[in-house]
Every structure is written in structure tokens, then in C-alpha cells.
Amino acid sequence: MHTPVDANKQATRLRVSVFVAAAASLVFAAACSSSASTTTNDSSPTPGATIVKPVGTLSNADGWPRVEGTRGKRYCEVLLASLVEGRLNAEVWNTYGLNDCPLDAWKALDPATIKTERGVLAALLNGPRYWLMDAIEKKPTGDRKETMFGTLTMFRAATVDLGPPPPNLSPYLEHRVARGAIFEYEKGAHVFELVDPTGETYIMQSYSQQRDATLVESDLPALGTSGRITPPSGWTYRARTLDASVRVQGPGPEAAVIQDDLANSYSLIEPN
């Protein structure tokens, strides 16, 4: 028979598992924002193992690794969640720059198997997703860790503190994400934005096929009038062509991120 303490712990773990699973798309969209990747060699780690590789040499003026030509690129992620001192913590592993997440390999992944193999509270799958910025610059953090899930090689993009359970999963709710990254949208780029009632503007950083597998980039201009998303009263969805480049960076290392009804992810354009 379980003691009351053991029963409470089991109940907490069960409750957390449920909410972590429900939070998967939100967590991934926020965390993957820090997943700018660089070149690697041809060797791949064995499944379940983790290796460390140096980052590449392409950089911005401040020496941050920079990846260009990201728009339209496909990626997937695996999130490994644990409960640490009453808070949800997660490692986010990303395919970008290593492979384009082939559908057969992605569908072959089993979250329950990954959870057992990695000894975590929950393993969550996020994808496929597609970048919409033209370049990503990532603050250097040293060597990069890589591992394999099934036949997919991934690198560790971020470690995310989700706070105490349960997380608030509502769309159009702002979350602060420590990502240390800059997103660049080129002059002339076609972009998609949400504007809140105060005039704050969020620019779409990636679109998702998690909730609507038919969604493609050509659908995005009419997303606000097609009924596929329903922004709150006072919010506006718009598509526009940039007359100047836009660089999105949060205050300090943080960024403000929201999602719409389809789990498409947006970053706040901070005032200059």
C-alpha cells in the first residue's frame, strides 16, 4: 500500500504528464526559436547517445553563429520533460540543419518508447514546422550536443523552464522565452502578423502542420479571413511586404512569443 506522500507524488506526476502532453506545441514553438544550427561532419551518434560538436564559422558582426536561407525550411523536434523541484523543465532537440525530418522517420518515433529510454516524465513530438524568417543568429553557447531519436539526428536547441504545473495553454497568450537569438526578415519579404488592441505587433516565425496537416505557406495570406484562426476581439491578422528589413530580438536574452489557434508561432517586434 502506498503512503499518503507516495500517493501525492504519483498524483502530481500523473497530473504533470497530462498537462505536459497538452503543452507540447506551445513549448516547442517557443523553444525551437533558439534552434539556429550550423554545419556538422558526417558522423552520427548512435540512438540514445549524446555527442558534442563545435559550431560552424558563419557569423554576424558580433561573432554570433548566423544561418541564412532559413525561410521555408522544414524541421521537427523532440521535447524531453522532467519535474524538477516542483517545476516543469524540458530539453528541446531539433533536426534543423541536420535533416529535413523525413515523414516516415518522423512517424516511426514513439513517445512512450523515448520516454522509457531517456528516463523522463514525458517525451513529446513537435512537427513538422517551417521557418518564415530569412536568417537566424544565435548567441554562442559553446559546443553543440547531438543525439538520435530513431533514425533522426537532432541537436539540443534549448532547455526550457515551464514553471509550476499546470501551464496555461490558451492561444494568443504571451510567454517570455530565454532564447538568445535574433530573427531577421529581409526587405521585400512577405510576412504575417498579429496586432493586439494596444498596437503591439507579433510576426510569424514558423507555421505548423500539427493541427492542420494541409496548411502550407500559400495559405497564410488569407489565414485571418478564412476562418482557420479566430483572434480575440480587438486583434488583427495581416499580411504585408516589408519595405525595410526587420530584426526581432527580445529585451535582453528574452523574447515574447504567442501562438494562434493552429499553433503557428509569432514573436513580438520590440520597439527600437
Side-chain angles (χ1 to χ4, degrees):
M1 178 179 297
H2 295 295
T3 65
V5 173
D6 289 337
N8 288 337
K9 286 183 178 179
Q10 288 189 341
T12 299
R13 290 179 65 86
L14 177 59
R15 185 170 62 252
V16 169
S17 295
V18 171
F19 281 108
V20 168
S25 61
L26 172 63
V27 174
F28 280 122
C32 76
S33 306
S34 63
S35 60
S37 65
T38 51
T39 57
T40 64
N41 59 38
D42 294 331
S43 62
S44 297
T46 56
T50 300
I51 64 173
V52 177
K53 294 186 177 182
V55 296
T57 57
L58 185 64
S59 62
N60 67 6
D62 295 323
W64 290 24
R66 175 180 170 89
V67 180
E68 298 177 341
T70 52
R71 186 175 180 122
K73 296 297 172 57
R74 170 187 169 108
Y75 65 94
C76 298
E77 294 179 319
V78 172
L79 180 124
L80 304 178
S82 300
L83 188 63
V84 180
E85 296 181 351
R87 300 178 67 86
L88 291 172
N89 284 260
E91 287 186 343
V92 180
W93 296 82
N94 188 296
T95 65
Y96 180 66
L98 298 169
N99 57 77
D100 63 356
C101 186
L103 188 59
D104 288 346
W106 180 244
K107 286 186 173 180
L109 296 184
D110 176 32
T113 299
I114 295 173
K115 171 186 173 182
T116 300
E117 290 177 346
R118 302 299 175 117
V120 294
L121 180 64
L124 307 165
L125 306 183
N126 175 62
R129 302 187 72 91
Y130 297 82
W131 293 124
L132 287 173
M133 75 289 290
D134 296 291
I136 302 174
E137 297 169 3
K138 181 75 168 66
K139 186 176 182 179
T141 57
D143 290 339
R144 188 175 69 177
K145 293 184 178 180
E146 294 183 7
T147 192
M148 287 189 72
F149 296 96
T151 61
L152 293 173
T153 306
M154 299 189 183
F155 74 99
R156 189 172 70 175
T159 301
V160 182
D161 179 6
L162 305 178
N168 189 329
L169 310 180
S170 303
Y172 307 100
L173 179 67
E174 184 178 287
H175 293 262
R176 291 281 169 168
V177 181
R179 67 187 183 192
I182 299 172
F183 296 161
E184 183 176 284
Y185 299 78
E186 296 176 349
K187 178 181 178 179
H190 203 44
V191 299
F192 312 100
E193 298 172 326
L194 284 167
V195 184
D196 77 6
T198 70
E200 289 196 317
T201 300
Y202 299 81
I203 189 168
M204 193 183 295
Q205 64 193 35
S206 67
Y207 72 91
S208 171
Q209 293 180 333
Q210 294 166 258
R211 298 181 186 173
D212 185 346
T214 69
L215 187 68
V216 293
E217 187 171 344
S218 60
D219 294 329
L220 300 181
L223 203 59
T225 57
S226 64
R228 297 171 86 170
I229 64 169
T230 54
S233 176
W235 287 65
T236 301
Y237 178 88
R238 69 186 184 191
R240 67 185 180 104
T241 301
L242 296 178
D243 55 11
S245 63
V246 171
R247 287 170 62 82
V248 178
Q249 181 178 22
E254 290 188 329
V257 176
I258 64 172
Q259 286 193 324
D260 63 25
D261 315 72
L262 296 178
N264 304 316
S265 185
Y266 306 70
S267 280
L268 176 66
I269 301 177
E270 297 282 350
N272 295 327

